[in-house]
Amino acid sequence: MMDAQTWRVGCRCLLLLALVGFTRSEGMQSCEEVRKLFQWRLVGPVRGLPDSPRAGPDLQVCVAKKPTCCTRKMEERYQIAARQDMQQVLQTSSSALKFLISRNAAAFQETLETLIRQAENYTSILFCNTYRNMALEAAASIQEFFTDVGLFLFGADVNPEEFVNRFFDSLFPLVYNHLINPGVTDSSLEYSECIRMARRDIGPFGNIPQRVLGQMGRSLLPSRTFLQALNLGIEVINTTDHLRFSKECSRALLRMQYCPHCQGLTFSKPCMGYCLNVVRGCLAHVAELHPHWHTYIQSLEELSDAMHGTYDVEHVLLNFHLLVNDAVMQAHLDGQTILEQVYKICGRPVRKPTQSPRCSFDGSKEKHGMKISTRNGEETLANRRKEFINSLRLYRTFYGGLADQLCVNELAAGDGRPCWSGEDIVKSYTQRVVGNGIKAQSGNPEVKVKGTDPVINQIIDKLKHVIQLLQGRSPKPNKWELHTGSGGGVDEQLSGDCDDEDGCGGSGSGEVKRTLKITD
């Protein structure tokens, strides 16, 4: 298939040739221009093509009482060309929409990747600035945590509850050894493992892990669903760009676009009503996408509007290190109680002298690490989403008016101009013009529409599913969190268990202010 540029250049060539052909079509004596157009458009040999009009008793679609410049083989080639032409105008009409979605999907993913790296740096710098002796030991856990965040955001089957708990489990032995029971000593791996396993029973970090899980759930899952929905939007467009036209549609397209060539009417365009009947018949199944596409864009908009505060992944990621700091200080302040609980569960450690490695984090990053500068409003992820949704909103009726758009912009003759009716050049088309959609085609005089299209039905089912996800992800204040299913996966559902702004557990009496600095 020709690319878009070749196709546009070719159309100009066709127009020049067709102008000549149209002037000769009255009382056609020669098929020369028809032969030239056929050879150029179909890249086929002219050998065997008629030099002058003749009877065409073997034609199946382009049947006419007048002599014809077409043969049965030409008709078959024209039918292929008519399908390709329709596919080309479909792809041209959707190109701006497809570019809008695909460009923004890529931009959102790139922005999220940048935010994850920035949040990881903030957390690493927190340890280097405030908890230097445990910084290098914490580095692997920090890296693993943010790797899991990225995997989850971009669709991998990882469980947020598991990676949040894993992070705090690995953090507890470090806090215990360096802040709660410090000393230039080292406990055994077995003892550290016992401390790690005891973290959930002891609860050294208060409600902070639950708050982190609540915030991660409420922000990561909507963002993940938003990205998945954009990718489905691209899939919908790719599906409709590469339709498989029915036999009835292919014959109707041939009759509309190339049958006039057989009579030397190489410059003719179909009447508007005729074009609408043909294209609405061919795109009847595609028109069934309209209500679902409209709801899809509306649901994207509603979700985007609701993703703010603790539902905004940018806010949550860039403030994660502050909650980590709260967690460490909470354990430090409750150190004596925690120490006694650890002794009860794990006993007293057998220690040996050691030297904790010092932080060697890149100092240049520290200068712009711990202070979260106020970002330009235009640069925020929320504003990028808003700008995208404002542009996408213009395409809510895209599939409902697609046939009309193709005829008005690409295919049909202008108002008041002589046009092709499927049989001859006329002043106006007199047949009934049907509406859009499958039900409206029962009275279509040009195309018989039968049954359903399984490919379109499948993409409609996918749209329905992602709409349910989008509407389920529209955050309802204080009602949303992640749940762990019986199989260890994530149940994406609503819950009424949280009743504070920051997540399950709220700001209870155990919360501490961010004022302590420890550099043991």
Side-chain angles (χ1 to χ4, degrees), residues 24 33 56 59 126 216 218 222 285 310 387 449 464 514:
R24 295 184 181 182
E33 300 306 325
L59 297 180
L126 166 70
M216 287 290 168
R218 287 181 310 208
H285 298 100
T310 55
E387 182 180 347
V449 179
K464 288 179 178 178
R514 304 179 182 100

Side-chain angles (χ1 to χ4, degrees), residues 246-283:
S246 67
K247 181 178 179 182
E248 284 286 341
C249 169
S250 296
R251 290 165 66 91
L253 290 173
L254 164 62
R255 186 181 297 110
M256 181 178 78
Q257 293 178 263
Y258 286 104
C259 283
H261 286 214
C262 298
Q263 298 182 30
L265 303 170
T266 50
F267 188 53
S268 69
K269 280 195 166 187
C271 303
M272 181 60 72
Y274 175 47
C275 178
L276 289 173
N277 277 340
V278 171
V279 181
R280 285 175 177 175
C282 287
L283 300 184

